[in-house]
Amino acid sequence: MNTFIALEKLEEIDLQDYHEVWLTTSERWPQDPETAQRVCLWRADRELTRDVEIDDVYFQNLPRLWLLVDDLHDKPAVSHVEQALNVRIGELQLEGEFLPDEKDKVPSGDKRTDLRS
Protein backbone atom coordinates (compact mmCIF):
# COMPACT_ATOMS: atom_id res chain seq x y z
CA MET A 1 0.00 0.00 0.00
CA ASN A 2 1.41 3.36 -1.05
CA THR A 3 -0.18 6.64 -0.03
CA PHE A 4 0.66 10.17 -1.13
CA ILE A 5 -0.26 13.04 1.17
CA ALA A 6 0.41 16.76 1.24
CA LEU A 7 2.80 17.82 3.99
CA GLU A 8 -0.04 19.78 5.60
CA LYS A 9 -1.91 16.49 6.27
CA LEU A 10 1.04 14.90 8.08
CA GLU A 11 -0.20 16.12 11.46
CA GLU A 12 -3.51 14.27 10.92
CA ILE A 13 -2.18 10.91 9.74
CA ASP A 14 -1.45 7.95 12.00
CA LEU A 15 2.09 6.94 11.10
CA GLN A 16 1.65 3.67 12.96
CA ASP A 17 -0.16 2.47 9.83
CA TYR A 18 3.02 2.88 7.73
CA HIS A 19 6.32 1.04 7.63
CA GLU A 20 8.26 3.79 5.82
CA VAL A 21 7.98 7.46 4.96
CA TRP A 22 9.53 8.49 1.65
CA LEU A 23 10.27 11.80 -0.01
CA THR A 24 9.95 12.01 -3.80
CA THR A 25 9.75 14.55 -6.60
CA SER A 26 6.98 12.82 -8.55
CA GLU A 27 3.54 11.33 -7.91
CA ARG A 28 4.28 8.64 -10.47
CA TRP A 29 5.06 5.21 -9.15
CA PRO A 30 8.22 6.09 -7.19
CA GLN A 31 9.62 2.59 -7.40
CA ASP A 32 9.96 2.77 -11.19
CA PRO A 33 13.65 2.34 -12.08
CA GLU A 34 13.66 5.58 -14.10
CA THR A 35 12.48 7.59 -11.10
CA ALA A 36 15.71 8.29 -9.26
CA GLN A 37 14.41 11.23 -7.26
CA ARG A 38 13.40 9.55 -4.02
CA VAL A 39 14.80 9.02 -0.54
CA CYS A 40 13.57 7.04 2.46
CA LEU A 41 13.22 9.55 5.32
CA TRP A 42 12.16 7.12 8.04
CA ARG A 43 11.65 3.41 8.61
CA ALA A 44 9.71 2.09 11.58
CA ASP A 45 11.25 -0.42 13.94
CA ARG A 46 9.33 -3.67 13.63
CA GLU A 47 9.33 -6.49 16.13
CA LEU A 48 9.67 -9.83 14.41
CA THR A 49 8.62 -13.11 15.93
CA ARG A 50 10.10 -16.49 15.14
CA ASP A 51 6.77 -18.17 14.35
CA VAL A 52 6.68 -16.96 10.73
CA GLU A 53 9.28 -17.01 7.99
CA ILE A 54 9.55 -13.54 6.44
CA ASP A 55 11.45 -12.73 3.26
CA ASP A 56 12.48 -9.47 1.56
CA VAL A 57 9.31 -9.39 -0.57
CA TYR A 58 7.25 -9.07 2.62
CA PHE A 59 9.11 -5.92 3.63
CA GLN A 60 8.77 -4.39 0.17
CA ASN A 61 4.99 -4.75 0.35
CA LEU A 62 4.55 -2.99 3.69
CA PRO A 63 2.63 0.31 3.67
CA ARG A 64 4.61 3.38 2.65
CA LEU A 65 3.74 7.03 3.01
CA TRP A 66 5.04 9.40 0.31
CA LEU A 67 5.60 13.14 0.66
CA LEU A 68 6.31 15.39 -2.30
CA VAL A 69 9.08 17.98 -2.70
CA ASP A 70 10.09 19.84 -5.87
CA ASP A 71 13.81 19.08 -5.61
CA LEU A 72 15.63 16.67 -3.32
CA HIS A 73 18.67 18.99 -3.49
CA ASP A 74 16.68 21.91 -2.03
CA LYS A 75 18.08 21.58 1.49
CA PRO A 76 15.66 24.06 3.17
CA ALA A 77 12.62 22.29 1.66
CA VAL A 78 13.87 18.82 2.58
CA SER A 79 14.81 20.02 6.07
CA HIS A 80 11.31 21.47 6.52
CA VAL A 81 9.76 18.08 5.68
CA GLU A 82 12.20 16.23 7.97
CA GLN A 83 11.38 18.56 10.87
CA ALA A 84 7.62 18.12 10.37
CA LEU A 85 8.05 14.34 10.23
CA ASN A 86 10.24 14.37 13.34
CA VAL A 87 7.58 16.33 15.26
CA ARG A 88 4.83 13.91 14.20
CA ILE A 89 6.90 10.84 15.09
CA GLY A 90 7.58 12.38 18.50
CA GLU A 91 3.89 13.06 19.07
CA LEU A 92 3.06 9.43 18.30
CA GLN A 93 6.07 8.15 20.27
CA LEU A 94 7.18 5.90 17.44
CA GLU A 95 10.53 4.18 17.19
CA GLY A 96 12.43 3.98 13.93
CA GLU A 97 15.44 5.04 11.93
CA PHE A 98 15.85 8.33 10.05
CA LEU A 99 17.49 8.21 6.61
CA PRO A 100 17.97 4.41 6.58
CA ASP A 101 19.86 2.67 3.80
CA GLU A 102 17.64 1.75 0.87
CA LYS A 103 16.89 -1.95 0.64
CA ASP A 104 17.59 -3.91 -2.55
CA LYS A 105 14.56 -4.25 -4.80
CA VAL A 106 12.83 -7.53 -5.54
CA PRO A 107 11.13 -7.63 -8.97
CA SER A 108 7.38 -7.11 -8.89
CA GLY A 109 4.77 -7.83 -11.53
CA ASP A 110 2.69 -4.81 -10.50
CA LYS A 111 2.89 -2.25 -13.32
CA ARG A 112 0.35 0.31 -12.09
CA THR A 113 1.78 3.84 -12.15
CA ASP A 114 -0.79 5.92 -10.27
CA LEU A 115 -0.67 5.80 -6.47
CA ARG A 116 -3.66 8.02 -5.83
CA SER A 117 -6.81 6.30 -4.61
Side-chain angles (χ1 to χ4, degrees):
M1 176 176 86
N2 289 286
T3 305
F4 267 100
I5 64 164
L7 183 59
E8 299 78 34
K9 298 211 177 224
L10 185 61
E11 62 189 36
E12 303 168 13
I13 199 150
D14 186 356
L15 292 175
Q16 295 179 57
D17 296 337
Y18 297 93
H19 174 67
E20 296 175 337
V21 178
W22 285 75
L23 190 60
T24 186
T25 59
S26 170
E27 283 193 49
R28 283 191 66 230
W29 187 258
Q31 293 85 346
D32 280 349
E34 70 269 18
T35 306
Q37 293 294 316
R38 66 176 190 262
V39 64
C40 184
L41 290 179
W42 181 77
R43 183 174 295 132
D45 288 343
R46 297 288 177 172
E47 185 176 324
L48 299 178
T49 60
R50 295 177 184 255
D51 58 344
V52 194
E53 184 175 327
I54 298 176
D55 59 11
D56 287 337
V57 175
Y58 171 82
F59 285 104
Q60 289 184 14
N61 291 318
L62 290 174
R64 290 174 178 82
L65 183 68
W66 293 85
L67 301 169
L68 194 62
V69 70
D70 289 334
D71 182 2
L72 291 177
H73 301 291
D74 182 351
K75 293 194 185 288
V78 171
S79 179
H80 178 68
V81 173
E82 288 176 353
Q83 288 173 2
L85 179 60
N86 196 19
V87 167
R88 185 64 180 147
I89 287 170
E91 291 171 351
L92 297 171
Q93 300 178 356
L94 299 176
E95 297 291 327
E97 179 182 4
F98 271 90
L99 300 172
D101 293 332
E102 190 167 344
K103 305 268 187 192
D104 291 334
K105 301 286 182 235
V106 174
S108 170
D110 191 351
K111 300 298 180 201
R112 291 173 286 178
T113 60
D114 192 342
L115 298 180
R116 293 168 285 190
S117 302

